[in-house]
Amino acid sequence: MTDGERVQPETEQEKLCFKLINDLDHVNGHVSGSITQKKYMRNETWSLISYFVVPSWFIAFSPADNMHPISLYFADTRNIQSRVET
């Protein structure tokens, strides 16, 4: 599994192990910030993209963009009221 191969459980112990992993994934789906919740959110996003046929371009803000003009505009603490009014 670590090499990315698809594994089918064959023995009873493997089936129990996979059932435990499945149960843990179900519980982790309700925990904020967990890997499983992020996986579910990613699946929902792709479903919405395929349903609404949204554009394939987007703007992503990341920590590496801290000097980008758009990031500086939204991070500016001065003149917040003037941006809200426009």
Side-chain angles (χ1 to χ4, degrees):
M1 288 175 63
T2 58
D3 295 332
E5 63 187 79
R6 184 167 174 87
V7 177
Q8 291 289 352
E10 296 174 1
T11 66
E12 190 61 34
Q13 288 179 335
E14 288 175 349
K15 289 178 183 178
L16 288 174
C17 182
F18 273 70
K19 185 176 179 336
L20 176 65
I21 291 171
N22 188 30
D23 291 343
L24 288 174
D25 270 351
H26 178 72
V27 172
N28 274 342
H30 301 287
V31 177
S32 297
S34 69
I35 299 295
T36 305
Q37 187 182 39
K38 291 177 185 178
K39 179 175 68 172
Y40 290 166
M41 290 171 59
R42 192 169 37 249
N43 288 340
E44 288 178 16
T45 303
W46 281 112
S47 296
L48 287 171
I49 287 172
S50 66
Y51 181 75
F52 288 113
V53 192
V54 296
S56 60
W57 53 270
F58 58 92
I59 297 174
F61 292 101
S62 68
D65 291 337
N66 62 347
M67 297 306 288
H68 193 278
I70 295 175
S71 297
L72 293 175
Y73 174 80
F74 285 115
D76 185 19
T77 57
R78 298 169 301 179
N79 301 325
I80 292 176
Q81 189 63 31
S82 65
R83 282 198 312 257
V84 172
E85 292 172 355
T86 57

Coordinates of all heavy atoms in Angstrom, one line a residue:
M1 N 0.8 -1.2 0.0 CA 0.0 0.0 0.0 C 0.9 1.3 0.0 O 0.4 2.3 -0.5 CB -0.9 0.0 1.2 CG -2.0 -1.0 1.1 SD -3.1 -1.1 2.6 CE -3.8 0.5 2.7
T2 N 2.0 1.2 0.6 CA 2.9 2.4 0.6 C 3.4 2.8 -0.7 O 3.8 3.9 -1.0 CB 4.1 2.2 1.6 OG1 4.8 1.1 1.2 CG2 3.6 2.0 3.0
D3 N 3.5 1.8 -1.6 CA 3.9 2.1 -3.0 C 2.8 2.5 -3.9 O 3.0 2.8 -5.1 CB 4.6 0.8 -3.6 CG 5.8 0.4 -2.9 OD1 6.5 1.3 -2.3 OD2 6.2 -0.8 -2.9
G4 N 1.6 2.7 -3.4 CA 0.5 3.2 -4.2 C -0.3 2.1 -4.9 O -1.1 2.3 -5.7
E5 N 0.1 0.8 -4.6 CA -0.6 -0.3 -5.3 C -2.0 -0.5 -4.6 O -2.2 -0.2 -3.4 CB 0.2 -1.6 -5.2 CG 0.4 -2.1 -3.8 CD 1.4 -3.2 -3.7 OE1 2.6 -2.9 -3.8 OE2 1.0 -4.3 -3.6
R6 N -2.9 -1.1 -5.3 CA -4.2 -1.4 -4.8 C -4.2 -2.8 -4.2 O -3.8 -3.7 -4.8 CB -5.3 -1.3 -5.9 CG -6.7 -1.6 -5.5 CD -7.6 -1.2 -6.6 NE -9.0 -1.5 -6.2 CZ -9.8 -0.7 -5.5 NH1 -9.4 0.4 -5.1 NH2 -11.0 -1.1 -5.2
V7 N -4.7 -2.9 -2.9 CA -4.6 -4.1 -2.2 C -6.0 -4.6 -1.8 O -6.8 -3.8 -1.3 CB -3.8 -3.9 -0.9 CG1 -3.7 -5.2 -0.1 CG2 -2.4 -3.4 -1.2
Q8 N -6.3 -5.8 -2.1 CA -7.6 -6.4 -1.7 C -7.3 -7.3 -0.5 O -6.4 -8.2 -0.6 CB -8.1 -7.2 -2.9 CG -8.6 -6.4 -4.1 CD -9.8 -5.6 -3.7 OE1 -10.5 -5.8 -2.7 NE2 -10.2 -4.8 -4.7
P9 N -8.1 -7.2 0.6 CA -7.9 -8.1 1.7 C -8.2 -9.5 1.4 O -9.3 -9.7 0.7 CB -8.8 -7.5 2.8 CG -9.8 -6.7 2.0 CD -9.2 -6.2 0.8
E10 N -7.4 -10.4 1.8 CA -7.6 -11.8 1.4 C -7.9 -12.6 2.7 O -8.8 -13.4 2.7 CB -6.4 -12.4 0.7 CG -6.2 -11.7 -0.7 CD -4.9 -12.2 -1.3 OE1 -4.2 -13.0 -0.8 OE2 -4.7 -11.7 -2.4
T11 N -7.1 -12.5 3.7 CA -7.3 -13.3 4.9 C -8.3 -12.5 5.9 O -8.7 -11.4 5.7 CB -6.0 -13.4 5.7 OG1 -5.6 -12.2 6.2 CG2 -4.9 -14.1 4.8
E12 N -8.8 -13.3 6.9 CA -9.7 -12.7 7.8 C -9.1 -11.5 8.6 O -9.8 -10.5 8.9 CB -10.2 -13.8 8.8 CG -11.4 -13.4 9.6 CD -12.6 -13.0 8.8 OE1 -12.9 -13.6 7.8 OE2 -13.3 -12.1 9.3
Q13 N -7.8 -11.7 8.9 CA -7.2 -10.6 9.7 C -7.1 -9.3 8.8 O -7.2 -8.2 9.3 CB -5.8 -11.0 10.1 CG -5.8 -12.0 11.2 CD -4.4 -12.4 11.6 OE1 -3.5 -12.4 10.8 NE2 -4.2 -12.9 12.9
E14 N -6.8 -9.5 7.5 CA -6.7 -8.3 6.6 C -8.1 -7.7 6.5 O -8.2 -6.4 6.5 CB -6.1 -8.7 5.3 CG -4.7 -9.1 5.3 CD -4.2 -9.6 3.9 OE1 -5.0 -9.9 3.0 OE2 -3.0 -9.7 3.7
K15 N -9.1 -8.5 6.4 CA -10.5 -7.9 6.3 C -10.8 -7.1 7.6 O -11.4 -6.1 7.5 CB -11.5 -9.0 6.1 CG -11.4 -9.7 4.7 CD -12.3 -10.8 4.5 CE -12.1 -11.4 3.1 NZ -13.0 -12.6 2.9
L16 N -10.5 -7.6 8.7 CA -10.7 -6.9 10.0 C -9.9 -5.6 10.0 O -10.4 -4.6 10.5 CB -10.4 -7.8 11.2 CG -11.3 -9.0 11.4 CD1 -10.8 -9.8 12.6 CD2 -12.7 -8.4 11.8
C17 N -8.7 -5.7 9.6 CA -7.9 -4.5 9.5 C -8.5 -3.4 8.6 O -8.5 -2.2 9.0 CB -6.4 -4.8 9.1 SG -5.3 -3.4 9.1
F18 N -8.9 -3.8 7.4 CA -9.5 -2.8 6.5 C -10.8 -2.3 7.1 O -11.2 -1.1 6.8 CB -9.7 -3.5 5.1 CG -8.5 -3.4 4.2 CD1 -7.4 -4.1 4.5 CD2 -8.6 -2.6 3.1 CE1 -6.3 -4.1 3.7 CE2 -7.5 -2.5 2.3 CZ -6.3 -3.2 2.6
K19 N -11.6 -3.1 7.8 CA -12.8 -2.7 8.4 C -12.5 -1.6 9.5 O -13.2 -0.6 9.6 CB -13.6 -3.8 9.0 CG -15.0 -3.4 9.5 CD -15.7 -4.7 10.0 CE -17.1 -4.4 10.6 NZ -17.3 -3.1 11.1
L20 N -11.5 -1.8 10.2 CA -11.0 -0.9 11.3 C -10.6 0.4 10.6 O -11.0 1.5 11.1 CB -9.9 -1.5 12.1 CG -9.3 -0.5 13.1 CD1 -10.3 -0.2 14.2 CD2 -8.0 -1.1 13.7
I21 N -9.9 0.4 9.5 CA -9.5 1.6 8.8 C -10.7 2.3 8.3 O -10.8 3.6 8.4 CB -8.5 1.2 7.7 CG1 -7.1 0.8 8.3 CG2 -8.3 2.4 6.8 CD1 -6.2 0.2 7.2
N22 N -11.7 1.6 7.8 CA -12.9 2.2 7.3 C -13.7 2.9 8.4 O -14.2 4.0 8.2 CB -13.7 1.1 6.6 CG -14.9 1.7 5.9 OD1 -14.9 2.9 5.4 ND2 -16.0 1.0 5.8
D23 N -13.8 2.2 9.5 CA -14.4 2.8 10.7 C -13.7 4.1 11.2 O -14.4 5.1 11.5 CB -14.6 1.8 11.8 CG -15.5 0.7 11.5 OD1 -16.3 0.8 10.6 OD2 -15.4 -0.4 12.2
L24 N -12.4 4.1 11.2 CA -11.7 5.2 11.6 C -11.9 6.4 10.6 O -12.0 7.5 11.0 CB -10.2 4.9 11.7 CG -9.8 4.0 12.9 CD1 -8.3 3.7 12.8 CD2 -10.1 4.8 14.2
D25 N -11.9 6.1 9.3 CA -12.2 7.1 8.3 C -13.6 7.7 8.5 O -13.7 8.9 8.4 CB -12.1 6.5 6.9 CG -10.7 6.6 6.4 OD1 -9.8 7.3 7.0 OD2 -10.5 6.1 5.3
H26 N -14.5 6.9 8.9 CA -15.9 7.4 9.1 C -15.9 8.4 10.3 O -16.5 9.4 10.2 CB -16.8 6.2 9.4 CG -18.2 6.7 9.7 ND1 -19.1 7.2 8.7 CD2 -18.9 6.7 10.8 CE1 -20.2 7.5 9.2 NE2 -20.2 7.2 10.5
V27 N -15.2 8.0 11.4 CA -15.2 8.9 12.6 C -14.4 10.1 12.3 O -14.8 11.3 12.6 CB -14.6 8.1 13.8 CG1 -14.3 9.1 14.9 CG2 -15.5 7.0 14.2
N28 N -13.2 10.0 11.6 CA -12.4 11.2 11.3 C -13.1 12.1 10.3 O -12.7 13.3 10.2 CB -11.1 10.7 10.7 CG -10.0 10.4 11.7 OD1 -10.2 10.8 12.9 ND2 -9.0 9.7 11.3
G29 N -14.1 11.7 9.6 CA -14.8 12.6 8.7 C -15.5 13.7 9.4 O -15.9 14.7 8.8
H30 N -15.8 13.5 10.7 CA -16.5 14.5 11.5 C -15.5 15.3 12.4 O -16.0 16.1 13.2 CB -17.5 13.8 12.4 CG -18.5 13.0 11.6 ND1 -19.5 13.6 10.9 CD2 -18.7 11.7 11.4 CE1 -20.3 12.7 10.3 NE2 -19.8 11.5 10.6
V31 N -14.2 15.1 12.3 CA -13.3 15.8 13.1 C -12.7 17.0 12.2 O -12.2 16.8 11.1 CB -12.1 14.9 13.5 CG1 -11.0 15.7 14.3 CG2 -12.6 13.8 14.4
S32 N -12.9 18.2 12.7 CA -12.4 19.4 12.0 C -10.9 19.3 11.7 O -10.1 19.1 12.7 CB -12.7 20.6 12.7 OG -14.1 20.8 12.9
G33 N -10.5 19.5 10.5 CA -9.1 19.6 10.1 C -8.4 18.2 9.9 O -7.2 18.2 9.6
S34 N -9.2 17.1 10.0 CA -8.6 15.8 9.8 C -8.3 15.5 8.4 O -8.9 16.2 7.5 CB -9.4 14.7 10.4 OG -10.6 14.6 9.7
I35 N -7.4 14.6 8.1 CA -7.1 14.2 6.7 C -8.4 13.7 6.0 O -8.6 14.0 4.8 CB -6.0 13.2 6.7 CG1 -4.7 13.7 7.3 CG2 -5.7 12.7 5.3 CD1 -4.1 14.9 6.6
T36 N -9.2 12.9 6.7 CA -10.4 12.4 6.1 C -11.4 13.5 5.8 O -12.0 13.4 4.7 CB -11.0 11.4 7.1 OG1 -10.1 10.4 7.4 CG2 -12.2 10.7 6.4
Q37 N -11.5 14.5 6.6 CA -12.5 15.5 6.3 C -12.0 16.3 5.1 O -12.7 16.7 4.3 CB -12.6 16.5 7.5 CG -13.7 17.5 7.3 CD -13.8 18.5 8.4 OE1 -12.8 18.9 9.0 NE2 -15.0 18.9 8.7
K38 N -10.7 16.5 5.0 CA -10.1 17.2 3.8 C -10.4 16.4 2.6 O -10.6 16.9 1.5 CB -8.6 17.4 4.0 CG -8.3 18.5 5.1 CD -6.8 18.7 5.3 CE -6.6 19.6 6.4 NZ -5.1 19.8 6.7
K39 N -10.3 15.0 2.7 CA -10.5 14.2 1.6 C -12.0 14.3 1.1 O -12.3 14.4 0.0 CB -10.2 12.7 1.9 CG -10.5 11.7 0.8 CD -10.0 10.3 1.2 CE -10.9 9.8 2.3 NZ -10.6 8.3 2.6
Y40 N -12.9 14.3 2.1 CA -14.3 14.5 1.8 C -14.6 15.8 1.2 O -15.4 15.9 0.2 CB -15.2 14.3 3.1 CG -15.3 13.0 3.7 CD1 -15.7 12.7 4.9 CD2 -14.8 11.8 2.9 CE1 -15.8 11.5 5.5 CE2 -14.9 10.6 3.5 CZ -15.4 10.4 4.7 OH -15.5 9.1 5.3
M41 N -14.0 16.9 1.7 CA -14.2 18.2 1.1 C -13.6 18.3 -0.3 O -14.2 18.9 -1.2 CB -13.5 19.3 2.0 CG -14.2 19.5 3.3 SD -13.3 20.5 4.5 CE -13.1 22.0 3.6
R42 N -12.5 17.6 -0.6 CA -11.9 17.6 -1.9 C -12.9 16.9 -2.9 O -13.1 17.3 -4.0 CB -10.6 16.9 -1.9 CG -9.7 17.0 -3.1 CD -8.3 16.6 -2.9 NE -8.1 15.4 -2.0 CZ -7.5 15.5 -0.8 NH1 -7.1 16.6 -0.3 NH2 -7.4 14.4 -0.1
N43 N -13.5 15.8 -2.4 CA -14.4 15.1 -3.2 C -15.7 15.9 -3.5 O -16.2 15.9 -4.6 CB -14.9 13.8 -2.6 CG -13.8 12.7 -2.6 OD1 -12.9 12.8 -3.4 ND2 -13.9 11.8 -1.7
E44 N -16.2 16.7 -2.5 CA -17.3 17.6 -2.7 C -17.0 18.7 -3.7 O -17.8 19.0 -4.5 CB -17.7 18.2 -1.4 CG -18.4 17.2 -0.5 CD -18.8 17.9 0.9 OE1 -18.8 19.1 0.9 OE2 -19.1 17.1 1.8
T45 N -15.7 19.2 -3.6 CA -15.3 20.3 -4.5 C -15.3 19.8 -5.9 O -15.8 20.4 -6.9 CB -13.9 20.8 -4.1 OG1 -14.0 21.3 -2.8 CG2 -13.5 21.9 -5.0
W46 N -14.7 18.6 -6.2 CA -14.7 18.1 -7.5 C -16.1 17.8 -8.0 O -16.4 17.9 -9.2 CB -13.8 16.8 -7.6 CG -12.4 17.2 -7.6 CD1 -11.4 16.9 -6.7 CD2 -11.7 17.8 -8.7 NE1 -10.2 17.4 -7.0 CE2 -10.3 18.0 -8.3 CE3 -12.0 18.3 -9.9 CZ2 -9.4 18.6 -9.1 CZ3 -11.1 19.0 -10.7 CH2 -9.8 19.1 -10.3
S47 N -17.0 17.3 -7.2 CA -18.4 17.1 -7.6 C -19.0 18.4 -8.0 O -19.7 18.4 -9.0 CB -19.2 16.4 -6.4 OG -18.6 15.2 -6.1
L48 N -18.8 19.4 -7.2 CA -19.4 20.7 -7.6 C -18.9 21.2 -8.9 O -19.6 21.8 -9.7 CB -19.2 21.7 -6.5 CG -20.1 21.5 -5.2 CD1 -19.6 22.4 -4.1 CD2 -21.6 21.7 -5.5
I49 N -17.6 21.1 -9.1 CA -16.9 21.5 -10.3 C -17.5 20.8 -11.5 O -17.8 21.4 -12.5 CB -15.4 21.4 -10.2 CG1 -14.8 22.4 -9.3 CG2 -14.8 21.5 -11.6 CD1 -13.3 22.2 -9.0
S50 N -17.7 19.5 -11.4 CA -18.2 18.8 -12.5 C -19.7 19.0 -12.7 O -20.2 19.0 -13.9 CB -18.0 17.3 -12.3 OG -18.7 16.8 -11.2
Y51 N -20.4 19.4 -11.7 CA -21.9 19.7 -11.8 C -22.1 21.0 -12.4 O -22.9 21.2 -13.3 CB -22.5 19.6 -10.4 CG -24.0 19.8 -10.5 CD1 -24.9 18.9 -11.0 CD2 -24.5 21.0 -10.1 CE1 -26.2 19.1 -11.1 CE2 -25.9 21.3 -10.1 CZ -26.7 20.3 -10.6 OH -28.1 20.5 -10.7
F52 N -21.4 22.1 -11.9 CA -21.6 23.4 -12.3 C -20.8 23.8 -13.5 O -20.9 24.9 -14.1 CB -21.4 24.4 -11.2 CG -22.5 24.4 -10.2 CD1 -22.3 23.9 -8.9 CD2 -23.8 24.8 -10.5 CE1 -23.3 23.9 -7.9 CE2 -24.8 24.7 -9.6 CZ -24.6 24.3 -8.3
V53 N -19.8 23.0 -13.9 CA -18.9 23.3 -15.0 C -18.3 24.7 -14.8 O -18.4 25.6 -15.6 CB -19.5 23.2 -16.3 CG1 -18.5 23.2 -17.4 CG2 -20.4 21.9 -16.4
V54 N -17.6 24.9 -13.6 CA -17.0 26.2 -13.3 C -15.7 26.4 -14.1 O -15.2 25.4 -14.7 CB -16.7 26.3 -11.8 CG1 -17.9 26.3 -11.0 CG2 -15.7 25.2 -11.4
P55 N -15.2 27.6 -14.3 CA -14.0 27.8 -15.0 C -12.8 27.0 -14.4 O -12.8 26.7 -13.2 CB -13.8 29.3 -14.9 CG -15.0 29.9 -14.4 CD -15.8 28.8 -13.8
S56 N -11.9 26.7 -15.3 CA -10.8 25.9 -14.8 C -9.6 26.8 -14.2 O -8.6 26.3 -13.8 CB -10.2 25.0 -15.9 OG -9.8 25.9 -17.0
W57 N -9.8 28.1 -14.1 CA -8.8 29.0 -13.5 C -9.3 29.4 -12.2 O -10.5 29.5 -11.9 CB -8.5 30.1 -14.4 CG -9.8 30.9 -14.8 CD1 -10.6 30.7 -15.9 CD2 -10.4 32.0 -14.1 NE1 -11.6 31.6 -15.9 CE2 -11.5 32.4 -14.8 CE3 -10.1 32.6 -12.9 CZ2 -12.4 33.4 -14.4 CZ3 -10.9 33.7 -12.5 CH2 -12.0 34.0 -13.2
F58 N -8.4 29.8 -11.3 CA -8.7 30.3 -10.0 C -7.6 31.0 -9.4 O -6.4 30.9 -9.9 CB -9.1 29.1 -9.0 CG -8.1 28.1 -8.9 CD1 -7.1 28.2 -7.8 CD2 -8.0 27.0 -9.7 CE1 -6.1 27.3 -7.7 CE2 -7.0 26.1 -9.6 CZ -6.1 26.2 -8.6
I59 N -7.8 31.8 -8.4 CA -6.8 32.6 -7.7 C -6.5 31.9 -6.4 O -7.5 31.7 -5.6 CB -7.2 34.0 -7.5 CG1 -7.4 34.7 -8.8 CG2 -6.1 34.7 -6.7 CD1 -7.9 36.1 -8.7
A60 N -5.3 31.5 -6.1 CA -5.0 30.9 -4.8 C -4.1 31.8 -4.1 O -3.1 32.3 -4.6 CB -4.3 29.5 -5.1
F61 N -4.4 32.0 -2.8 CA -3.5 32.7 -1.9 C -2.7 31.7 -1.1 O -3.3 30.8 -0.5 CB -4.3 33.6 -1.0 CG -5.0 34.7 -1.7 CD1 -6.4 34.6 -2.0 CD2 -4.3 35.8 -2.1 CE1 -7.0 35.7 -2.7 CE2 -4.9 36.9 -2.8 CZ -6.3 36.8 -3.1
S62 N -1.5 31.9 -1.1 CA -0.6 31.0 -0.3 C 0.4 31.8 0.5 O 0.6 33.0 0.1 CB 0.1 29.9 -1.2 OG 1.0 30.6 -2.0
P63 N 1.0 31.3 1.5 CA 2.0 32.0 2.2 C 3.2 32.6 1.3 O 3.8 33.6 1.6 CB 2.6 31.1 3.2 CG 1.5 30.1 3.4 CD 0.8 30.0 2.1
A64 N 3.4 32.0 0.2 CA 4.5 32.4 -0.7 C 4.0 33.7 -1.4 O 4.9 34.4 -2.0 CB 4.8 31.3 -1.7
D65 N 2.8 34.0 -1.4 CA 2.2 35.2 -2.1 C 2.2 36.4 -1.2 O 1.5 37.4 -1.4 CB 0.8 34.9 -2.6 CG 0.8 33.9 -3.7 OD1 1.9 33.8 -4.4 OD2 -0.2 33.3 -4.0
N66 N 3.0 36.5 -0.1 CA 2.9 37.5 0.8 C 3.3 38.9 0.3 O 3.0 39.9 0.9 CB 3.6 37.2 2.1 CG 5.1 37.0 1.9 OD1 5.6 36.9 0.8 ND2 5.8 37.0 3.0
M67 N 4.0 39.0 -0.8 CA 4.4 40.2 -1.4 C 3.6 40.5 -2.7 O 3.9 41.5 -3.3 CB 5.9 40.2 -1.7 CG 6.8 40.1 -0.4 SD 6.3 41.3 0.9 CE 7.0 42.8 0.1
H68 N 2.7 39.7 -3.0 CA 1.9 39.9 -4.2 C 0.9 41.1 -4.0 O 0.4 41.3 -2.9 CB 1.1 38.7 -4.6 CG 0.5 38.7 -5.9 ND1 -0.7 39.4 -6.2 CD2 0.9 38.2 -7.1 CE1 -1.0 39.2 -7.5 NE2 -0.1 38.5 -8.0
P69 N 0.7 42.0 -5.0 CA -0.1 43.2 -4.8 C -1.5 42.9 -4.3 O -2.1 43.6 -3.5 CB -0.1 43.8 -6.2 CG 1.1 43.3 -6.8 CD 1.4 42.0 -6.3
I70 N -2.1 41.8 -4.8 CA -3.5 41.4 -4.4 C -3.5 41.0 -2.9 O -4.3 41.4 -2.1 CB -4.1 40.3 -5.2 CG1 -4.2 40.8 -6.7 CG2 -5.4 39.8 -4.7 CD1 -4.7 39.7 -7.6
S71 N -2.5 40.3 -2.5 CA -2.4 39.9 -1.1 C -2.1 41.1 -0.2 O -2.7 41.2 0.9 CB -1.2 38.9 -0.8 OG -1.4 37.7 -1.5
L72 N -1.3 42.0 -0.6 CA -1.0 43.2 0.1 C -2.3 44.1 0.2 O -2.6 44.7 1.3 CB 0.1 44.0 -0.5 CG 1.5 43.4 -0.4 CD1 2.5 44.2 -1.2 CD2 1.9 43.1 1.0
Y73 N -3.1 44.1 -0.8 CA -4.3 44.9 -0.8 C -5.3 44.3 0.2 O -5.9 45.1 1.1 CB -5.0 44.9 -2.2 CG -6.3 45.5 -2.2 CD1 -6.5 46.9 -2.3 CD2 -7.5 44.8 -2.2 CE1 -7.7 47.5 -2.3 CE2 -8.7 45.3 -2.2 CZ -8.8 46.7 -2.2 OH -10.1 47.3 -2.2
F74 N -5.5 43.0 0.3 CA -6.4 42.4 1.2 C -5.9 42.4 2.6 O -6.6 42.3 3.6 CB -6.8 41.0 0.8 CG -7.8 41.0 -0.4 CD1 -7.4 40.5 -1.6 CD2 -9.1 41.5 -0.2 CE1 -8.3 40.5 -2.7 CE2 -10.0 41.5 -1.2 CZ -9.6 41.0 -2.5
A75 N -4.5 42.4 2.8 CA -3.9 42.4 4.1 C -3.8 43.7 4.7 O -3.5 43.9 5.9 CB -2.6 41.7 4.1
D76 N -4.0 44.8 4.0 CA -3.9 46.2 4.4 C -4.9 46.4 5.6 O -6.1 46.2 5.4 CB -4.1 47.1 3.3 CG -3.8 48.6 3.7 OD1 -3.1 48.8 4.7 OD2 -4.2 49.5 3.0
T77 N -4.4 46.9 6.7 CA -5.3 47.2 7.8 C -5.7 48.7 7.8 O -6.7 49.0 8.5 CB -4.6 47.0 9.1 OG1 -3.3 47.8 9.2 CG2 -4.2 45.5 9.3
R78 N -5.1 49.5 6.9 CA -5.6 50.9 6.8 C -6.7 50.9 5.8 O -6.8 50.1 4.9 CB -4.4 51.8 6.3 CG -3.3 51.8 7.3 CD -2.1 52.5 6.7 NE -1.8 51.7 5.5 CZ -0.8 51.9 4.6 NH1 -0.1 53.0 4.8 NH2 -0.6 51.2 3.6
N79 N -7.6 51.8 5.9 CA -8.7 52.1 5.0 C -9.6 50.9 4.8 O -10.1 50.7 3.7 CB -8.1 52.6 3.6 CG -7.3 53.8 3.8 OD1 -7.6 54.7 4.6 ND2 -6.2 53.9 3.0
I80 N -9.8 50.1 5.8 CA -10.7 49.0 5.7 C -12.1 49.5 5.4 O -12.8 48.9 4.6 CB -10.6 48.1 6.9 CG1 -9.3 47.4 7.0 CG2 -11.7 47.0 6.9 CD1 -9.1 46.6 8.3
Q81 N -12.5 50.5 6.1 CA -13.8 51.1 6.0 C -14.1 51.5 4.5 O -15.2 51.3 4.0 CB -14.1 52.2 7.0 CG -15.5 52.6 7.0 CD -16.5 51.5 7.5 OE1 -16.1 50.7 8.3 NE2 -17.7 51.5 7.0
S82 N -13.1 52.1 3.9 CA -13.3 52.6 2.5 C -13.5 51.5 1.6 O -14.2 51.6 0.6 CB -12.2 53.5 2.1 OG -10.9 52.7 2.0
R83 N -12.8 50.3 1.8 CA -13.0 49.1 0.9 C -14.3 48.5 1.1 O -15.0 48.0 0.2 CB -11.9 48.1 1.2 CG -10.6 48.5 0.6 CD -9.7 47.3 0.5 NE -9.6 46.5 1.7 CZ -8.6 46.5 2.5 NH1 -7.5 47.3 2.3 NH2 -8.6 45.8 3.6
V84 N -14.8 48.6 2.4 CA -16.1 48.0 2.7 C -17.2 48.8 2.0 O -18.2 48.2 1.5 CB -16.4 47.9 4.2 CG1 -17.8 47.4 4.5 CG2 -15.4 46.9 4.8
E85 N -17.1 50.1 2.0 CA -18.1 50.9 1.4 C -18.2 50.9 -0.1 O -19.2 51.1 -0.7 CB -17.9 52.4 1.8 CG -18.1 52.6 3.3 CD -17.7 54.0 3.8 OE1 -17.1 54.7 3.0 OE2 -17.9 54.3 5.0
T86 N -17.1 50.5 -0.8 CA -17.0 50.5 -2.2 C -17.5 49.1 -2.8 O -17.8 48.2 -2.2 CB -15.6 50.7 -2.8 OG1 -14.8 49.7 -2.3 CG2 -15.2 52.1 -2.5

